[in-house]
Amino acid sequence: MLFQPRTRLLILALGQGVRRLHVSAAFNAKAKVSMSRFEPSNYVSYEKLNENVNIVRKRLNRPLTLSEKIVYGHLDDPVGQDIARGHTYLRLRPDRVAMQDATAQMAMLQFISSGLPRVAVPSTIHCDHLIEAQIGGAKDLARAKDINAEVYNFLASAGAKYGVGFWKPGSGIIHQIILENYAYPGVLLIGTDSHTPNGGGLGSICIGVGGADAVDVMAGIPWELKCPKVIGVKLTGKLSGWTSPKDVILKVAGILTVKGGTGAIVEYHGPGVDSISCTGMATICNMGAEIGATTSVFPYNHRMKTYLEKTGRGDIAALADDYADLLVPDPGCEYDSIVEINLDELKPHINGPFTPDLAHPMADIGATAAKNGWPLEVKVGLIGSCTNSSYEDMGRSASVAKQALDKGLKCKAAFTITPGSEQIRATIERDGYSKILGDVGGMVLANACGPCIGQWDRRDVKKGEKNTIVTSYNRNFTARNDANPATHAFVASPEIVTALAIAGTLDFNPEVDYLTAANGEKFKLEPPSADELPKLDFDPGQDTYQHPPAEGGSKLRVDVSPTSTRLQLLEPFDKWAGGDLEDLQVLIKVKGKCTTDHISAAGPWLKFRGHLDNISNNMLIGAVNIENDGINKIKNQLTGEYGGVPDVARHYKANGLSWVVVGDDNYGEGSSREHAALEPRHLGGRCIIVKSFARIHETNLKKQGMLPLTFQIPADYDKIRPDDKISIKGLANFTPGKPLSAVVKHSDGSKDDFQLNHTFNETQIEWFQAGSALNRMKELQ
């Protein structure tokens, strides 16, 4: 255990036997420390965390990784919980919940359906997804407040009634707000957004979930998580020059691919960690979602302490110092696998197009693009987003922009800047970064997700026009940013994006290539430099937080109009009828990659996130039908005519015909959006059969009473034809670890049968039998 000087003095005074006491026990008069300034009566509980960790360490009789300490330290039953990495399901007690406005609608609608009067843990709603980027920050925000007034009013009133803090539109992106106000070393937070792991940059275990999982935690029910494996990433050397924290995760994504982290927590360690800022560590953890990881985390160090102090949380930093040994991995701990990266040798990277794991060193991208026919002209450079919108990110970008301005240059490409929070916006404006970025040709957008999630009214190219954009975002799936499937989107650090926007071409490598100044002279951009944190305190900007009333909200009303097109109260799903699922019609056999963007598109559909029936009109409209390589064009087996996927599904449901979707590998990768599970259930789906699932989506399907099943033999995928009917057998004896079977009837009268695996535990089987996890919650009340 690492003791602070005052602690060591006490040890000398009382003798070495005091070591068996916890530090805080020796200072039991020490004042409690609040988890955040917004919740002064909820306290950081390192004592309980330490107590649980000690119980588990003795049980397992081995050193623990950092992620194990934090996860196992939040066990509901540390004495009796069965713990086996990659196998058992853990029952956990998270410290808090965070929801973004698009997913919060359904989460709060589900919480309302539970009948509970108030949330059991600190919870917040963050308005960041519904603001479309169009002409600039202030005007875009004003338009969003007008267009989304009904939804914002619902979320604000629901937050007030049920005890949930409400961050108003304009406050910033959920993950930046969490880092600035709520994340701290050792906290366990769940959030209804896949990039919740951003908080790992502050030593937190922050995990993205669906809204139904958030409801469990808000209801005070232990939350289930399959015991994660732990992938260690050992960092040596030191970041320098053009290489940034973003390049670490771009490299890791290239190594592990979009599914290499599935079922695991990625834990960074090693001497190279100390060369990365706290917000840089957050960038790395944020984009860990792109490798399918449960979450990512860094050990507590002086960079985190400095960030806590600068964001007004010095008391938490002091307490974390007292518990420093609890917030780092045990010496001798073992990882399931190890990736080693020497930061001295790491070069700037750019990943894409169309998938975030296609990694290229900057030195190679020009030749690779020419070979593959990717457009070299950069049409737009976009910096910011939840991944790279810190003060340091903006400063490094401004450092590059200032060099261009000094030589009389502006961006050849269009250029946009998205501050991560109101605090970042106000501070970079005060410190001159906004002016530099504007002078070089940039447009500052609202403090929101914007183009990163498809909230971008892009008008410079027509849909279908082949073009290249570069972003500092996290995802670059087909059509994600601008709804144009021909847009080649590449992901890089903010400083590389800025350099490419200035040069206007993808094959510009700022490490070696020259620009031409306004006077004709050739010059090279120098590596960017910027302060990690502002020399002055952060400027908080406008106050955008709404406290829930201290006296409670029992007298408040939350109204949802029955004629609303944006919001709709939920009706319970039907229970399992007690038998096998017979003759499920194959709705669509999906070919290739099928992300949650394919299953439930964002962009213009975000406005229907609180209305299940309306948003179900986007179900699987982006998936590729293997029968004809068409998108949103499948055959209605009852009529023989072709139609859109949601239309055919509705027709089947109206005629009492349940259906099944067949898919490929890593089905449901990407966003945490549970609408991708709610919509199939609402439109009559019963089962999804694929080669493999992304973690969050598989859990979301279980929560809604669907059957997510995987081919025991992946090649059995090839046996299924688009017009088949499939029966799922063995449900009367549905038990953990026991496969189910499928009988496939082909239209020519022949049959196939094969085994289907599942990952249901006993509790999850009860969800299926009750019709949904929410139904089961009501049964238990």
Side-chain angles (χ1 to χ4, degrees):
M1 182 173 288
L2 301 176
F3 295 103
Q4 294 298 298
R6 62 184 183 277
T7 311
R8 287 196 291 270
L9 289 173
L10 184 66
I11 291 170
L12 291 173
L14 299 180
Q16 292 297 312
V18 77
R19 288 184 181 275
R20 69 179 178 270
L21 299 174
H22 198 279
V23 172
S24 65
F27 292 95
N28 52 21
K30 185 172 181 174
K32 293 180 178 180
V33 174
S34 298
M35 293 171 65
S36 85
R37 63 189 175 92
F38 302 105
E39 297 136 359
S41 60
N42 290 287
Y43 303 108
V44 177
S45 184
Y46 285 147
E47 297 93 339
K48 181 65 174 175
L49 183 68
N50 192 65
E51 178 185 326
N52 287 356
V53 167
N54 286 334
I55 291 170
V56 173
R57 189 189 284 114
K58 289 176 182 176
R59 283 184 53 205
L60 298 182
N61 193 30
R62 62 172 174 81
L64 301 178
T65 70
L66 170 60
S67 53
E68 287 184 305
K69 286 182 178 182
I70 302 175
V71 172
Y72 304 162
H74 286 85
L75 286 169
D76 183 51
D77 179 14
V79 175
Q81 172 72 61
D82 191 14
I83 300 171
R85 285 185 193 170
H87 296 287
T88 57
Y89 280 85
L90 307 178
R91 292 168 64 82
L92 302 169
R93 292 284 185 178
D95 296 303
R96 65 180 310 117
V97 172
M99 299 167 280
Q100 41 98 330
D101 51 354
T103 50
Q105 296 169 65
M106 193 57 66
M108 292 309 297
L109 286 165
Q110 290 177 91
F111 188 82
I112 291 168
S113 297
S114 75
L116 296 170
R118 193 172 177 85
V119 297
V121 301
S123 303
T124 50
I125 293 168
H126 303 260
C127 294
D128 62 355
H129 271 58
L130 299 179
I131 303 168
E132 184 182 53
Q134 191 179 78
I135 55 177
K139 292 181 179 180
D140 290 347
L141 176 60
R143 189 177 69 257
K145 288 179 177 179
D146 179 52
I147 293 171
N148 302 308
E150 180 186 15
V151 171
Y152 292 147
N153 289 339
F154 165 74
L155 292 174
S157 60
K161 182 172 179 63
Y162 296 105
V164 179
F166 180 70
W167 288 84
K168 301 171 186 177
S171 55
I173 305 173
I174 177 173
H175 311 303
Q176 183 68 26
I177 297 292
I178 289 171
L179 201 71
E180 292 173 355
N181 298 281
Y182 297 116
Y184 60 83
V187 73
L188 176 60
L189 178 151
I190 69 165
T192 60
D193 189 278
S194 55
H195 291 101
T196 301
N198 190 79
L202 204 41
S204 311
I205 291 292
C206 300
I207 301 176
V209 299
D213 277 15
V215 172
D216 280 356
V217 179
M218 290 191 292
I221 297 171
W223 172 62
E224 284 198 338
L225 175 71
K226 193 169 188 179
C227 188
K229 294 183 178 181
V230 188
I231 298 172
V233 178
K234 184 178 180 180
L235 302 178
T236 58
K238 184 178 181 181
L239 288 178
S240 62
W242 282 93
T243 307
S244 74
K246 184 65 164 271
D247 297 305
V248 176
I249 186 58
L250 295 177
K251 177 72 173 179
V252 170
I255 294 169
L256 294 179
T257 78
V258 290
K259 62 178 183 176
T262 302
I265 292 177
V266 178
E267 186 171 311
Y268 293 85
H269 63 283
V273 166
D274 285 339
S275 74
I276 306 173
S277 67
C278 178
T279 51
M281 290 186 258
T283 289
I284 294 168
C285 292
N286 177 296
M287 202 175 154
E290 272 50 75
I291 57 174
T294 301
T295 192
S296 302
V297 68
F298 278 83
Y300 178 62
N301 68 358
H302 70 282
R303 310 297 283 263
M304 296 182 191
K305 178 180 180 178
T306 302
Y307 185 81
L308 285 168
E309 291 171 341
K310 202 69 173 179
T311 52
R313 293 172 289 170
D315 51 352
I316 295 181
L319 191 63
D321 282 346
D322 282 346
Y323 286 87
D325 66 318
L326 182 64
L327 305 172
V328 296
D330 286 343
C333 68
E334 295 186 358
Y335 299 97
D336 291 285
S337 60
I338 291 279
V339 174
E340 295 195 26
I341 297 178
N342 184 342
L343 301 180
D344 289 334
E345 299 173 355
L346 184 64
K347 289 291 187 179
H349 274 61
I350 185 167
N351 287 22
F354 306 125
T355 184
D357 60 344
L358 188 57
H360 318 277
M362 282 302 299
D364 299 341
I365 187 61
T368 304
K371 177 183 175 182
N372 289 284
W374 301 334
L376 287 178
E377 181 190 2
V378 174
K379 287 285 189 180
V380 191
L382 306 101
I383 65 169
S385 85
C386 67
T387 317
N388 279 105
S389 55
S390 68
Y391 184 82
E392 181 183 36
D393 289 328
M394 296 295 153
R396 286 173 68 88
S397 294
S399 172
V400 175
K402 180 69 163 58
Q403 294 179 59
L405 287 170
D406 288 345
K407 297 292 185 178
L409 297 185
K410 291 192 174 186
C411 291
K412 289 184 178 178
F415 185 44
T416 71
I417 301 98
T418 303
S421 67
E422 169 60 9
Q423 178 167 272
I424 294 296
R425 182 209 62 78
T427 306
I428 66 171
E429 189 170 303
R430 179 198 69 193
D431 293 351
Y433 291 165
S434 293
K435 185 178 188 310
I436 293 170
L437 294 170
D439 287 348
V440 85
M443 177 173 67
V444 177
L445 301 177
N447 313 322
C449 300
C452 183
I453 60 164
Q455 284 284 60
W456 183 18
D457 183 18
R458 187 181 181 192
R459 300 179 180 181
D460 64 304
V461 297
K462 295 179 180 179
K463 191 168 183 178
E465 182 180 337
K466 194 174 178 181
N467 74 102
T468 285
I469 65 172
V470 290
T471 82
S472 69
Y473 303 163
N474 40 48
R475 291 195 174 136
N476 56 348
F477 301 139
T478 302
R480 176 176 173 86
N481 301 124
D482 62 0
N484 181 3
T487 293
H488 293 55
F490 294 85
V491 178
S493 68
E495 50 265 50
I496 289 292
V497 171
T498 304
L500 293 178
I502 292 166
T505 181
L506 190 64
D507 58 358
F508 175 74
N509 180 2
E511 287 194 305
V512 298
D513 292 335
Y514 287 79
L515 293 170
T516 302
N519 65 4
E521 80 172 280
K522 300 287 186 180
F523 75 99
K524 272 177 61 177
L525 293 168
E526 295 297 322
S529 62
D531 291 332
E532 175 181 346
L533 294 163
K535 289 184 173 68
L536 303 174
D537 287 340
F538 278 107
D539 183 339
Q542 299 178 39
D543 183 8
T544 53
Y545 178 72
Q546 172 187 292
H547 283 276
E551 67 277 7
S554 59
K555 296 181 181 179
L556 299 175
R557 288 180 57 86
V558 179
D559 292 321
V560 175
S561 169
T563 60
S564 172
T565 62
R566 300 285 304 267
L567 298 164
Q568 180 186 48
L569 293 174
L570 297 173
E571 295 291 332
F573 290 130
D574 59 305
K575 294 184 178 182
W576 173 57
D580 291 333
L581 298 178
E582 300 285 352
D583 293 331
L584 302 177
Q585 178 66 57
V586 172
L587 177 69
I588 181 174
K589 182 179 179 183
V590 177
K591 176 182 177 181
K593 185 187 282 285
C594 191
T595 72
T596 48
D597 282 316
H598 295 92
I599 304 167
S600 176
W605 293 93
L606 283 172
K607 61 179 173 287
F608 297 125
R609 283 287 182 88
H611 197 292
L612 179 54
D613 194 56
N614 282 345
I615 199 169
S616 292
N617 289 323
N618 78 358
M619 185 191 73
L620 286 159
I621 62 173
V624 178
N625 179 10
I626 199 169
E627 179 188 14
N628 54 15
D629 283 338
I631 295 175
N632 201 27
K633 186 178 181 182
I634 61 172
K635 188 175 183 180
N636 185 324
Q637 301 300 329
L638 295 180
T639 67
E641 299 176 352
Y642 281 84
V645 182
D647 301 321
V648 174
R650 287 184 186 277
H651 187 257
Y652 287 166
K653 181 181 180 181
N655 285 275
L657 179 60
S658 296
W659 48 263
V660 58
V661 170
V662 177
D664 213 318
D665 264 318
N666 208 31
Y667 184 89
E669 73 172 277
S671 170
S672 69
R673 67 192 67 153
E674 66 185 319
H675 300 77
L678 281 158
E679 293 170 30
R681 184 73 163 98
H682 175 64
L683 294 186
R686 305 301 301 186
C687 181
I688 311 289
I689 306 172
V690 300
K691 294 179 183 177
S692 65
F693 282 102
R695 174 190 63 87
I696 299 177
H697 186 59
E698 182 181 25
T699 301
N700 286 347
L701 288 166
K702 292 177 183 178
K703 286 275 185 177
Q704 304 308 333
M706 293 284 285
L707 275 179
L709 305 173
T710 56
F711 296 102
Q712 194 170 84
I713 301 173
D716 286 337
Y717 167 89
D718 298 321
K719 296 178 180 178
I720 296 179
R721 306 169 192 171
D723 59 350
D724 284 342
K725 289 191 174 181
I726 302 177
S727 297
I728 309 299
K729 304 288 188 179
L731 289 172
N733 299 305
F734 193 9
T735 53
K738 182 180 179 180
L740 299 170
S741 59
V743 176
V744 182
K745 296 178 183 177
H746 304 301
S747 57
D748 62 6
S750 62
K751 292 184 180 181
D752 273 306
D753 58 81
F754 42 78
Q755 297 291 100
L756 297 170
N757 292 335
H758 67 84
T759 61
F760 280 80
N761 61 27
E762 291 178 356
T763 299
Q764 294 167 346
I765 290 172
E766 291 174 352
W767 299 345
F768 169 75
Q769 293 168 342
S772 71
L774 191 57
N775 288 359
R776 181 59 179 158
M777 183 191 297
K778 289 181 179 178
E779 290 178 354
L780 294 174
Q781 284 183 25

